[in-house]
Amino acid sequence: MNDTTQSATGPIKVDVWSDIACPWCYIGKKKFEAAVAETGIPVEVEYHAYELAPDLPQEFEGSEQDYLEIRGFTADQVEPLLARIVGAAAQVGLRFDYDILRHTNMLKGHQLIRFAKEQGMQLEMVERILAAHFEEGGHVGRNEDLADLAAEVGLDREEALAALRENRFVDDVRAEEAHAHRLGIRGVPFYVFEERYGVSGAQDTSAFAQVLRKLSHEKRGTAA
């Protein structure tokens, strides 16, 4: 059944706080997109920065186990946790590869997403950075590597590189993170629908679809 709303009601605004380093953010992204496809309800999505490990260096030399132990997990928790993440990713068509994944500070990556937003290509940039990080072993903390990714989605590489070198969007990233804390967001992914409904975590597609249908119904009623 297609629940496409009348264009007169406008798309449903969805603000998403996420981190490039968060596997559940990528998994949740795919589940949310599946809900949009299933319902046919138009949405306007905007991504906002939230760093889970802002103190991580750009060149983190440790293993996945080292990283997760920094995040508070014990050694015996790591293997089952990664198995669960990889399995959940596979269910939504993603192939996470923790053998080649490279951890890094994500401030530069979030700045590139802000740059792409100014160019009207934020969604494409978010997807490309996440794929590079989780599936390709790309380094998403270096200016040059990020500029290459920008070029791949159609952005001007030199303009992107200049913005990254100048830290042009660092204040935007910090402002988004501060706003998240004011809203009481303490983990990601976190979805805010129409500035009214908050959904935390990589929920099932059906949960996202339920929220979209509820809001679509409300918007149609308001427009009537």
Side-chain angles (χ1 to χ4, degrees):
M1 178 178 178
N2 190 296
D3 296 290
T4 305
T5 58
Q6 297 295 320
S7 59
T9 65
I12 291 172
K13 181 66 166 60
V14 186
D15 291 282
V16 186
W17 272 265
S18 69
D19 188 18
I20 302 161
C22 169
W24 298 110
C25 291
Y26 200 8
I27 294 167
K29 179 178 184 293
K30 294 302 182 183
K31 291 183 176 183
F32 171 74
E33 289 169 350
V36 173
E38 174 188 314
T39 62
I41 295 171
V43 296
E44 177 188 342
V45 181
E46 182 176 349
Y47 278 86
H48 304 278
Y50 191 106
E51 295 172 274
L52 291 171
D55 296 330
L56 201 69
Q58 184 186 62
E59 303 300 334
F60 180 77
E61 301 298 339
S63 66
E64 182 63 28
Q65 179 165 322
D66 294 329
Y67 172 77
L68 288 173
E69 287 181 7
I70 289 174
R71 300 291 302 146
F73 294 92
T74 62
D76 60 348
Q77 290 175 319
V78 172
E79 186 174 347
L81 172 63
L82 292 181
R84 183 163 69 93
I85 291 173
V86 170
Q91 289 179 354
V92 294
L94 299 173
R95 294 185 176 184
F96 283 10
D97 191 340
Y98 279 102
D99 290 333
I100 62 173
L101 185 145
R102 306 172 71 172
H103 286 290
T104 183
N105 187 288
M106 294 300 179
L107 180 57
K108 290 286 188 176
H110 283 298
Q111 288 188 68
L112 182 60
I113 291 171
R114 304 282 78 68
F115 170 79
K117 176 185 171 183
E118 279 203 348
Q119 310 300 316
M121 298 189 69
Q122 187 190 46
L123 300 186
E124 293 88 346
M125 196 73 259
V126 169
E127 176 65 26
R128 186 68 194 94
I129 289 180
L130 288 170
H133 181 58
F134 284 105
E135 299 185 300
E136 301 167 14
H139 196 308
V140 296
R142 295 175 183 157
N143 293 339
E144 295 282 348
D145 298 70
L146 288 168
D148 288 342
L149 295 178
E152 288 180 22
V153 302
L155 294 168
D156 186 284
R157 186 185 187 281
E158 293 308 311
E159 288 185 13
L161 186 58
L164 291 168
R165 286 174 172 167
E166 297 166 9
N167 284 315
R168 193 181 303 164
F169 294 94
V170 68
D171 290 341
D172 299 80
V173 171
R174 297 301 184 217
E176 290 183 348
E177 292 175 329
H179 187 45
H181 288 293
R182 287 194 299 272
L183 291 175
I185 298 172
R186 295 294 180 265
V188 288
F190 196 92
Y191 300 77
V192 177
F193 293 80
E194 292 283 310
E195 299 185 343
R196 294 165 55 197
Y197 296 102
V199 175
S200 178
Q203 300 292 330
D204 288 338
T205 295
S206 59
F208 286 124
Q210 183 178 10
V211 175
L212 290 172
R213 289 185 174 115
K214 175 179 174 61
L215 284 168
S216 175
H217 177 76
E218 291 176 1
K219 287 172 75 73
R220 286 199 302 270
T222 302

